[in-house]
Amino acid sequence: MFRARHLALTAIALSLSLAHAQSPQARIKIDTDRKVGEVHPYMFGNFAEHLGRCIYGGIYEEGSSLSDASGFRKDVMEATKNLGVSLLRWPGGNFASGYNWKDGIGPKDQRPVRPDHAWGDLDSNRFGTDEFLQYCERLGVTPYICVNAGYGTVNEAREWVEYVNESRSTYWADQRRKNGRDKPYNVKIWGLGNEIDGPWQLGHKNAEDYSKFALEAAKAMRRVDSSIQLIASGSSNFGPNSDWIAWNREILQHLRTEIDYISLHTYIGNSDNNFERFLATSQDLDERIEVVAGLIRAAQAGQRNPRPIHIAYDEWNVWYRARSNSEFATGATRLEEIYNYEDALAMGMFFNSFIRHADVVKMANLAQLVNVIAPIFTNKQGLFLQPIFFPIAEYGKQRNNMSLNALVTAPTYTPAPGRKPLGYLDVSVTHNTKENALYVNVLNRSEKLDIATRVDNVEGAVQPAVGVWTMNYDDLKATHTFGADKKIVPVNSTYTAKVEKNGFTYTFPKHSLTILKVKLQ
């Protein structure tokens, strides 16, 4: 009798436990009329710098059996296409501030070898402007060239546009033809320097001096090609002694009639091994975007026909292991960061923030493409895909969707003393009008809590067959390597929802990233 009673009580307890687990603890309320902005394809850009093995031994490896006749690694090109890269930024990064583009054109055997004063290496210049632009054409991606605003001059920037885009018979256009390219490349996206606010930067300037340079460079470059779009060097220095808000305010005030974007850079890390604090960095991302969006509006205030200006988040990633106390010491690490499962979850955090601000964030470039803080890692024999590869590729399928302002309520936590409480669920939602489908992107950043969530659509019935893409792995520190990059991978499935009043309940597992595809009737 005692055993039977014990089993009965156990069954009741288990039943109550399951019922509690299935009762909603959170809510995502979606209204397709609450539009934020289009998820621009450029949000899924990438970045290739002359640093470590990103170019040489990554993108480009002459003489390799894995390379084509142009020296481009075929396996890397295939992986890049699968990653869904839309836009590629080059040649840097810190490297750009010491780079003379003229060293990288003409016969390869006649190009000079130069010291890289940004990272302490040597550059053969065998991969230059023509190679980069041919690579972009082969991939079908939009090129983005960053000019030298550190040690460079206004005239060098102007001449670079002439070499690349001029259709008439001029000196630099004819040099391009002499080098084998008759028609212009028509590069439309140009950056006015890199991280000029950072004291580590070659040719570092204060905001006033940079604004003067950038204004004259913009005028000169547009006199060659008035159709180009320009990106000002916004904040990259968020250190305790920096005034990043003042920097952006002054740049926007001086350049508001000339630029199309202002850049932001952010790298994050988990050096104190606190998972939930690590994934709370969305507070910083959201704040930086919203502050700069306000500064853009302030700069445009009072203008009759203000020039539209957007944010280019053209460097972002997890980066904290392969770092040191100086640029040269960091360069010596070759920035070969090995990413783990929790870093893959951070990709969702970044994209959720960008998507929530799709009205102003119209470009974002993961740093970088291959080997250097990258989702693709090579050796002489092949490559493997790091765990961060998979969320990037999946989010890219939402390009051109409409971002929606969803109402989210969820259990909260305080990630650090003095910080505001933060919901465990980090959410963005997009609407594909052609498919009439909602994409509900949910990062559960709780280390221990599965969260049952009511997903409601305000107007219009939802179909019960819900597509589910999820990354959910027990070991937060698990990594990939050569020949073993299949364990931390996403799973695709179909969830049959019990739909009631245009909504259903779904439980998001602890420390997971999930994308629900919900068809509307």
Side-chain angles (χ1 to χ4, degrees), residues 233-426:
S233 181
S235 294
S236 62
N237 184 10
F238 296 94
N241 297 319
S242 68
D243 190 343
W244 66 272
I245 296 175
W247 173 275
N248 289 306
R249 181 186 293 116
E250 186 157 355
I251 301 310
L252 287 163
Q253 188 65 32
H254 285 286
L255 300 178
R256 61 187 177 179
T257 62
E258 297 293 334
I259 60 172
D260 303 281
Y261 303 85
I262 184 168
S263 72
L264 290 176
H265 292 180
T266 294
Y267 294 100
I268 67 171
N270 189 18
S271 56
D272 59 357
N273 195 28
N274 186 318
F275 173 79
E276 293 185 355
R277 185 180 300 166
F278 171 55
L279 292 181
T281 318
S282 59
Q283 290 181 317
D284 294 329
L285 296 174
D286 290 346
E287 179 187 53
R288 291 169 190 180
I289 291 169
E290 290 161 14
V291 167
V292 174
L295 294 173
I296 291 171
R297 291 194 296 272
Q300 293 171 327
Q303 293 185 294
R304 183 166 297 178
N305 294 300
R307 186 182 191 92
I309 300 172
H310 297 106
I311 291 173
Y313 231 112
D314 56 13
E315 284 190 37
W316 66 271
N317 207 340
V318 176
W319 175 29
Y320 66 102
R321 303 170 185 93
R323 299 192 81 149
S324 192
N325 56 6
S326 72
E327 298 303 296
F328 275 23
T330 297
T333 72
R334 316 205 88 184
L335 282 68
E336 297 195 352
E337 195 100 355
I338 300 299
Y339 289 111
N340 61 26
Y341 171 62
E342 66 185 12
D343 299 326
L345 298 182
M347 300 299 102
M349 182 192 66
F350 274 102
F351 279 120
N352 284 346
S353 182
F354 298 156
I355 289 171
R356 286 195 296 267
H357 299 93
D359 56 330
V360 65
V361 177
K362 294 297 183 182
M363 183 187 298
N365 299 71
L366 177 84
Q368 298 187 16
L369 184 61
V370 192
N371 295 325
V372 174
I373 51 174
I376 305 166
F377 204 94
T378 72
N379 63 12
K380 295 288 185 181
Q381 291 75 43
L383 60 77
F384 72 87
L385 304 179
Q386 301 226 55
I388 67 170
F389 182 98
F390 306 101
I392 298 166
E394 192 65 22
Y395 270 89
K397 297 175 183 177
Q398 297 180 55
R399 65 193 68 196
N400 298 122
N401 286 5
M402 177 59 65
S403 171
L404 302 179
N405 183 9
L407 175 66
V408 180
T409 56
T412 63
Y413 71 109
T414 302
R419 302 301 296 265
K420 294 179 181 178
L422 182 66
Y424 275 123
L425 297 187
D426 183 71

Side-chain angles (χ1 to χ4, degrees), residues 404-460:
L404 302 179
N405 183 9
L407 175 66
V408 180
T409 56
T412 63
Y413 71 109
T414 302
R419 302 301 296 265
K420 294 179 181 178
L422 182 66
Y424 275 123
L425 297 187
D426 183 71
V427 179
S428 69
V429 179
T430 69
H431 183 208
N432 184 315
T433 55
K434 292 180 181 178
E435 298 179 320
N436 198 22
L438 300 171
Y439 288 75
V440 186
N441 310 302
V442 180
L443 167 65
N444 183 352
R445 52 189 154 203
S446 172
E447 191 169 356
K448 299 178 180 179
L449 181 66
D450 299 339
I451 300 179
T453 304
R454 172 76 182 179
V455 180
D456 282 318
N457 185 46
V458 169
E459 185 175 345

Side-chain angles (χ1 to χ4, degrees), residues 27 50 58 66 83 89 92 108 130 182 198 206 270 274 292 298 308 310 333 375 392 426 500:
R27 187 186 188 198
H50 288 245
L66 298 174
L83 187 63
R89 179 177 182 241
K108 293 182 185 180
D130 290 288
D182 181 39
N206 61 33
N270 189 18
N274 186 318
V292 174
H310 297 106
T333 72
I392 298 166
D426 183 71
E500 297 176 340

Side-chain angles (χ1 to χ4, degrees), residues 24-39:
Q25 304 154 274
R27 187 186 188 198
I28 301 171
K29 185 179 178 182
I30 303 166
D31 184 346
T32 55
D33 288 333
R34 293 178 62 83
K35 299 175 183 178
V36 177
E38 182 193 33
V39 178

Side-chain angles (χ1 to χ4, degrees), residues 46-50 55 59-60 72 87-91 99 104 111 126-139 141-146 160 164 185 187 189:
N46 208 290
F47 173 34
E49 182 172 3
H50 288 245
I55 303 294
I59 287 172
Y60 185 74
F72 302 142
L87 175 83
L88 192 58
R89 179 177 182 241
W90 175 86
Y99 180 60
R111 298 180 190 177
R126 294 183 69 84
F127 187 97
T129 299
D130 290 288
E131 288 76 24
F132 168 68
L133 295 175
Q134 290 162 14
Y135 191 68
C136 289
E137 287 182 339
R138 293 280 295 278
L139 290 172
V141 306
T142 300
Y144 160 11
I145 293 177
C146 181
W160 205 352
V164 169
Y185 290 106
V187 174
I189 309 294

